[in-house]
């Protein structure tokens, strides 16, 4: 009986320490050191309404805005992930062909040979908020035509919203599509 009581006490102590106190301490430290990131890197509009997160991609269907990567999970952050399809998978080929046909229809000024691969393939999570600078620049002719904003000004917006490599050598330069579209919408006002 003594062993059972001691085991229950020890279990209760570990539940409180590991399940409650540790989480409170880590959350408190995160809130003190980096509150924006701890709260989800949220972005707000002028009325202080949440419009999205820097970390989760969104679908932009309006042709006047930059479009992000394809998401096989419809940008639903509740279940990130993508099908691990081989390039020869019939479903992958059909979805990619569909994306290419949509590109040709929406972007007649940019040939398919200049279509960046990240605009027709999804990321591993299906939630990547970034595209390559080349993918953003490939959309400039369409956006310029629809908004009346010059291609030079749109190139400046892309450059201003391009993040370099992490620590100067990790990864590739990327453009956050939500931030770019926020900057674009300010130009359209």
């Amino acid at each position: 009986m003594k062993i059972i009581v001691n085991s229950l006490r020890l279990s209760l102590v570990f539940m409180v320490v590991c399940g409650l106190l540790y989480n409170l301490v880590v959350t408190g430290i995160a809130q003190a050191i980096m509150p924006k990131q701890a709260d989800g890197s949220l972005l707000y509009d002028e009325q202080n309404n949440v419009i999205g997160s820097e970390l989760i991609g969104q679908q932009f269907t309006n042709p006047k805005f930059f479009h992000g990567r394809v998401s096989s999970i419809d940008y639903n952050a509740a279940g990130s992930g993508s099908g691990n399809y081989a390039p020869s998978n019939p479903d992958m080929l059909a979805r990619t062909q569909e994306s290419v046909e949509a590109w040709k229809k929406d972007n007649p000024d940019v040939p398919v040979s200049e279509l960046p691969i990240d605009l027709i393939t999804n990321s591993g999570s299906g939630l990547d908020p970034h595209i390559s600078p080349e993918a953003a620049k490939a959309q400039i002719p369409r956006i310029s035509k629809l908004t009346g904003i010059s291609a030079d000004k749109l190139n400046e917006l892309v450059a201003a919203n391009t993040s370099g490599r992490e620590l100067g050598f990790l990864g590739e330069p990327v453009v956050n599509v939500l931030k770019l579209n926020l900057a674009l919408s300010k130009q359209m006002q």
Side-chain angles (χ1 to χ4, degrees):
M1 188 66 168
K2 186 177 177 183
I3 293 174
I4 293 173
V5 171
N6 285 339
S7 296
L8 289 174
R9 276 191 210 153
L10 189 59
S11 294
L12 184 61
V13 167
F14 276 119
M15 280 191 269
V16 170
V17 170
C18 297
L20 182 65
L21 293 178
Y22 173 79
N23 292 321
L24 289 174
V25 169
V26 170
T27 301
I29 291 170
Q31 285 291 334
I33 294 174
M34 47 188 184
K36 184 176 191 297
Q37 292 88 340
D39 289 337
S41 299
L42 301 176
L43 297 174
Y44 299 87
D45 64 11
E46 291 80 25
Q47 291 77 35
N48 210 27
N49 297 316
V50 174
I51 54 173
S53 169
E54 292 179 38
L55 306 175
I56 298 177
Q58 296 181 27
Q59 184 172 16
F60 293 94
T61 56
N62 187 333
K64 291 181 179 182
F65 287 100
F66 289 91
H67 297 170
R69 294 186 75 152
V70 175
S71 174
S72 58
I73 59 169
D74 296 324
Y75 299 98
N76 182 353
S80 71
S82 297
N84 191 16
Y85 295 140
S88 60
N89 181 288
D91 292 338
M92 175 71 163
L93 291 171
R95 193 200 42 76
T96 304
Q97 188 58 40
E98 208 174 280
S99 295
V100 169
E101 292 305 317
W103 173 265
K104 290 194 297 194
K105 181 179 143 242
D106 296 339
N107 300 278
D109 298 329
V110 181
V112 174
S113 62
E114 295 177 23
L115 171 60
I117 194 78
D118 52 325
L119 289 177
I120 58 171
T121 59
N122 50 301
S123 65
S125 69
L127 298 170
D128 192 350
H130 302 103
I131 57 176
S132 65
E134 294 76 23
K137 290 175 184 174
Q139 299 178 66
I140 287 176
R142 177 192 77 235
I143 295 167
S144 180
K145 186 184 291 184
L146 294 172
T147 63
I149 299 172
S150 73
D152 289 339
K153 183 62 181 169
L154 291 170
N155 274 309
E156 289 174 19
L157 287 176
V158 169
N161 286 281
T162 299
S163 301
R165 298 170 188 263
E166 295 291 324
L167 303 174
F169 68 95
L170 296 174
E172 296 295 324
V174 293
V175 178
N176 186 296
V177 179
L178 177 57
K179 286 181 169 181
L180 178 58
N181 282 333
L182 289 173
L184 175 60
S185 79
K186 286 180 183 173
Q187 293 294 314
M188 292 192 295
Q189 293 175 351

